[in-house]
């Protein structure tokens, strides 16, 4: 079964996470069509390849977000949604909040 539709999602960054993404706090992105469903895991890879401007190691570690970065999907903690396995839906709002300060 192929999921051919492109998908519109909103990405938001705060707490310093936006510094890694060209200091933009909000992106409206269109994820390209692909054979499998878009999961948060695939979204992170796409963000790394398309949006991350510098120092990806401050955002990603071992294929997930670094400890200290909270992820909310539509205002729900991603830990309640299955984390990397969560399947994105059209119009989802994904928020990344860095709780790491200093450095």
């Amino acid at each position: 079964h192929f999921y051919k539709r492109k998908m519109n999602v909103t990405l938001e960054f705060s707490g310093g996470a936006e510094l890694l993404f060209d200091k933009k706090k909000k992106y409206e992105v269109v994820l390209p069509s692909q054979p499998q469903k878009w999961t948060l895991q695939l979204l992170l890879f796409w963000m790394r390849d398309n949006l991350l401007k510098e120092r990806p190691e401050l955002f990603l570690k071992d294929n997930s977000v670094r400890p200290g970065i909270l992820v909310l999907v539509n205002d729900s903690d991603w830990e309640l949604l299955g984390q990397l396995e969560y399947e994105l839906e059209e119009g989802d709002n994904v928020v990344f909040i860095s709780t790491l300060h200093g450095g």
Side-chain angles (χ1 to χ4, degrees):
H1 190 64
F2 278 78
Y3 299 91
K4 294 224 179 279
R5 284 182 336 149
K6 295 177 180 174
M7 190 177 313
N8 296 280
V9 295
T10 302
L11 307 175
E12 294 186 56
F13 304 93
S14 63
E18 70 277 4
L19 299 176
L20 303 173
F21 291 89
D22 220 19
K23 300 181 178 60
K24 276 181 67 175
K25 287 186 175 279
K26 188 170 187 177
Y27 286 85
E28 305 279 346
V29 301
V30 179
L31 300 173
S33 314
Q34 63 171 20
Q36 68 268 50
K37 288 188 177 183
W38 276 99
T39 60
L40 278 175
Q41 173 77 83
L42 293 171
L43 174 66
L44 290 177
F45 291 154
W46 184 87
M47 290 168 61
R48 177 195 63 201
D49 295 341
N50 294 277
L51 295 180
L52 253 178
K53 295 299 182 194
E54 52 191 281
R55 302 182 68 183
E57 71 278 4
L58 294 181
F59 184 68
L60 294 174
K61 181 179 181 185
D62 300 331
N63 295 335
S64 187
V65 292
R66 283 189 67 86
I69 295 180
L70 303 176
V71 183
L72 303 175
V73 181
N74 304 324
D75 298 322
S76 295
D77 188 328
W78 78 325
E79 293 188 5
L80 305 175
L81 301 172
Q83 295 181 300
L84 296 171
E85 303 298 312
Y86 172 78
E87 293 178 354
L88 290 166
E89 296 182 19
E90 177 72 20
D92 272 357
N93 188 58
V94 186
V95 181
F96 298 88
I97 305 167
S98 175
T99 60
L100 304 171
H101 297 287

